[in-house]
Amino acid sequence: VAADASGRPRAAVAVYCILADGDELWMSTSEGLSRMNRTTGDVRTFGAGDDLHGNRFDTAACYRSPSGELFFGGTFGFHSFDPKDIHDNPHVPPVALTAVYVLNRKLQQRQLPPAVERLRLSYRQNLLTFEFAALDFDNPERNLYSYRLEGFDRDWVDAGHRRSAVYANLPPGEYTFHVRGSNNDGVWNEAGVTLPLTIRPPLLRSGWAYTAYALSLVGLVALLLRAHGRRIRQRGEDLRKTEELERARSLQLSMLPREPPRLPELDIAVHMETATEVGGDYYDFFPQDDGSLFIAIGDATGHGLSAGMMVSMTKIALRSLDVRAPARILDRLSSILHEIHPSGLRMALGLALIRRQEVEISSAAMPPVLVYDRRSRRVEEVLLPALPLGGRLPQPYPERTIPLAPGDTLVLISDGLPERRNPFDECLGYRQVEECLAEHGERSAQEILDALVDLGEHWAGGRPPEDDVTVLVVQRRPEDA
């Protein structure tokens, strides 16, 4: 019985007739002609790609001749063969890198090993796409692949039949890309092929570059200071320099935190999958001295560099504002961006302040926040309609405070998950996301996150997302945990 990602039965395989041949059983099924090893339980199914005339077999239409030849009949006629003549494909397929793209531009062969010792890139060239193939053409659509970027991936990534791998926002460092492949019968080339590569760090350790970087940051902070008025401009020179240095260090790192904070009362899990052309999703965590936690999740307009600039400005502004109320933070940010007017760019942003037994939420054009109530086992949708940051003259943003009891779960998402499209160009929608949370709300934060991600992957049928997908799950630990 085949099953979907949630474990529900999807399709059943009917068996019409069975013949034994030593340790093997040969069966005519609704999926084709299957061979099962009675000792190991391994099953191999032969279909149209294996020269079968059809798979519409008849019940009990099989026969074993005295010579050992097997016959299976159906509406197409019958198949006859000697099991001794059926052999798996023993060919160990060579594996080749067919193309490498940097920032969506295909590299020429003279830019790759062995023409050069290794692929060397700058820190700006951190969006890489690798395409590969196992060179076995017996039934190539059944070839399998796995890959790993040594220095980034902890384990091998099972790619299935997909022949490409995408990496975005790679930090500077030394890496080696490995890819393995199999033929149609699962014979693997374990050695595969490798590609060493280096992403050079920015020249932030040199005096000239660090000075130029600090001056750029000073210019941006100066815009923020003028927008905030005389009170902020009168802040001391020592404090300004300290903030500039701190922001300079944070900008050396990836825009996103490497992992969520570990807090005794909260179970936090987060997932981000970027589209081929990065869509501008952003999230961050800001633990407070009093034990509360600020969470930010956003989506910038545009793609690539323009979205990155807006995310960078938003991130710096969030760290600059000395405010502790989510709605007031959005008011300040919108006022600043409206005065700066960065070429019509906008930023959708949601903020949540989690205290001991409640959460304070405000939103600027972000999707609704979902709250799972463990006692009622229901999901509440918290929608706060508003325009994105910078898109209007300042006016108060909506705000709402809701309880967050032990065992309750808070889910913040970008629009990438509900807007994932299936092969029929239909959107997943918010209702299915809510139903998935309701079904898995009793589980841990990571298990809820996995269920939501699996929902999107299953709906899209394995196709990569057209927009960034960000899902953030925060669960207040049950008192009995």
Side-chain angles (χ1 to χ4, degrees):
V1 177
D4 61 17
S6 64
R8 295 186 292 266
R10 183 184 64 194
V13 176
V15 178
Y16 302 116
C17 195
I18 302 176
L19 292 175
D21 181 66
D23 288 338
E24 295 179 338
L25 294 177
W26 288 86
M27 300 169 282
S28 56
T29 74
S30 58
E31 296 294 327
L33 194 60
S34 297
R35 179 189 64 194
M36 184 179 77
N37 188 297
R38 288 192 280 188
T39 302
T40 64
D42 293 337
V43 177
R44 165 72 193 278
T45 299
F46 301 87
D50 300 295
D51 295 332
L52 284 186
H53 301 307
N55 61 355
R56 297 179 64 88
F57 292 94
D58 290 335
T59 302
C62 61
Y63 171 70
R64 176 187 177 90
S65 72
S67 64
E69 189 173 6
L70 304 184
F71 295 81
F72 290 91
T75 58
F76 52 82
F78 67 90
H79 288 288
S80 65
F81 60 93
D82 191 330
K84 298 183 182 62
D85 296 333
I86 306 300
H87 304 286
D88 288 338
N89 182 2
H91 178 237
V92 178
V95 179
L97 275 174
T98 57
V100 178
Y101 294 83
V102 177
L103 298 179
N104 296 323
R105 291 187 177 182
K106 184 177 181 180
L107 297 183
Q108 303 298 319
Q109 193 61 41
R110 57 183 174 80
Q111 299 174 281
L112 299 171
V116 295
E117 179 182 353
R118 62 170 48 229
L119 176 60
R120 299 183 184 275
L121 305 171
S122 75
Y123 72 99
R124 297 180 186 275
Q125 298 173 299
N126 60 357
L127 174 60
L128 303 179
T129 302
F130 302 95
E131 295 183 353
F132 39 81
L135 305 182
D136 185 280
F137 308 103
D138 197 10
N139 198 349
E141 63 272 12
R142 296 178 63 172
N143 295 349
L144 299 174
Y145 302 92
S146 65
Y147 61 86
R148 178 190 177 207
L149 185 60
E150 185 178 349
F152 184 83
D153 293 323
R154 293 184 178 179
D155 301 307
W156 286 87
V157 178
D158 183 3
H161 303 296
R162 180 164 49 89
R163 298 191 299 109
S164 64
V166 179
Y167 290 90
N169 299 325
L170 284 175
E174 302 287 334
Y175 303 97
T176 301
F177 181 71
H178 303 264
V179 59
R180 305 181 298 196
S182 79
N183 66 11
N184 61 305
D185 281 329
V187 177
W188 284 84
N189 183 335
E190 297 291 346
V193 65
T194 61
L195 174 64
L197 63 101
T198 299
I199 297 182
R200 295 187 295 269
L203 301 178
L204 299 177
R205 296 180 181 89
S206 69
W208 286 106
Y210 199 88
T211 301
Y213 195 67
L215 290 175
S216 299
L217 183 60
V218 169
L220 180 58
V221 172
L223 292 175
L224 296 175
L225 291 174
R226 284 196 296 270
H228 278 279
R230 184 176 298 276
R231 183 182 65 85
I232 296 179
R233 290 197 300 270
Q234 292 176 349
R235 298 175 68 178
E237 182 68 12
D238 292 340
L239 178 60
R240 182 179 65 82
K241 290 182 179 180
T242 300
E243 291 176 347
E244 291 170 5
L245 291 174
E246 182 60 29
R247 287 176 176 79
R249 283 191 294 269
S250 68
L251 287 175
Q252 295 177 27
L253 305 175
S254 171
M255 286 294 178
L256 306 177
R258 289 185 174 273
E259 60 182 18
R262 298 181 180 179
L263 301 176
E265 294 185 353
L266 298 179
D267 184 13
I268 304 175
V270 63
H271 168 86
M272 173 180 279
E273 182 179 1
T274 57
T276 302
E277 187 177 0
V278 179
D281 276 15
Y282 161 72
Y283 69 88
D284 215 335
F285 303 96
F286 303 94
Q288 304 298 303
D289 294 337
D290 60 359
S292 61
L293 176 66
F294 256 114
I295 298 177
I297 181 170
D299 187 0
T301 60
H303 296 275
L305 184 60
S306 61
M309 182 182 70
M310 179 59 74
V311 169
S312 176
M313 295 173 63
T314 303
K315 186 180 182 77
I316 292 175
L318 280 172
R319 292 188 179 276
S320 301
L321 294 176
D322 187 17
V323 181
R324 293 296 178 266
R328 291 183 59 197
I329 291 178
L330 294 180
D331 291 337
R332 293 283 187 88
L333 287 175
S334 185
S335 176
I336 293 169
L337 292 176
H338 183 77
E339 290 199 21
I340 297 175
H341 193 64
S343 301
L345 296 178
R346 300 291 180 264
M347 182 75 187
L349 187 68
L351 296 178
L353 175 59
I354 301 178
R355 301 188 181 93
R356 180 170 179 79
Q357 293 291 341
E358 64 182 16
V359 55
E360 187 176 344
I361 301 171
S362 189
S363 175
M366 283 298 289
V369 175
L370 304 180
V371 183
Y372 177 78
D373 187 317
R374 188 185 187 191
R375 290 168 296 180
S376 66
R377 297 187 177 183
R378 293 184 177 180
V379 175
E380 179 183 1
E381 179 186 275
V382 181
L383 178 62
L384 303 175
L387 294 176
L389 301 180
R392 56 169 175 76
L393 291 173
Q395 66 182 47
Y397 274 91
E399 187 174 79
R400 182 174 172 185
T401 299
I402 59 176
L404 192 68
D408 290 355
T409 300
L410 188 72
V411 176
L412 299 93
I413 60 174
S414 67
D415 57 8
L417 177 60
E419 292 183 3
R420 291 207 71 170
R421 295 184 176 275
N422 64 12
F424 302 101
D425 203 34
E426 299 169 329
C427 284
L428 174 63
Y430 290 92
R431 180 178 296 275
Q432 293 201 56
V433 176
E434 293 181 22
E435 291 176 351
C436 182
L437 175 57
E439 180 180 353
H440 300 278
E442 298 296 311
R443 301 184 179 182
S444 68
Q446 186 61 54
E447 290 172 327
I448 295 173
L449 177 69
D450 292 341
L452 292 171
V453 173
D454 289 344
L455 172 67
E457 292 293 335
H458 178 68
W459 178 265
R463 299 190 306 172
E466 298 178 359
D467 193 9
D468 294 353
V469 176
T470 302
V471 183
L472 199 154
V473 180
V474 182
Q475 184 179 83
R476 184 166 293 283
R477 300 184 190 275
E479 294 179 347
D480 56 355

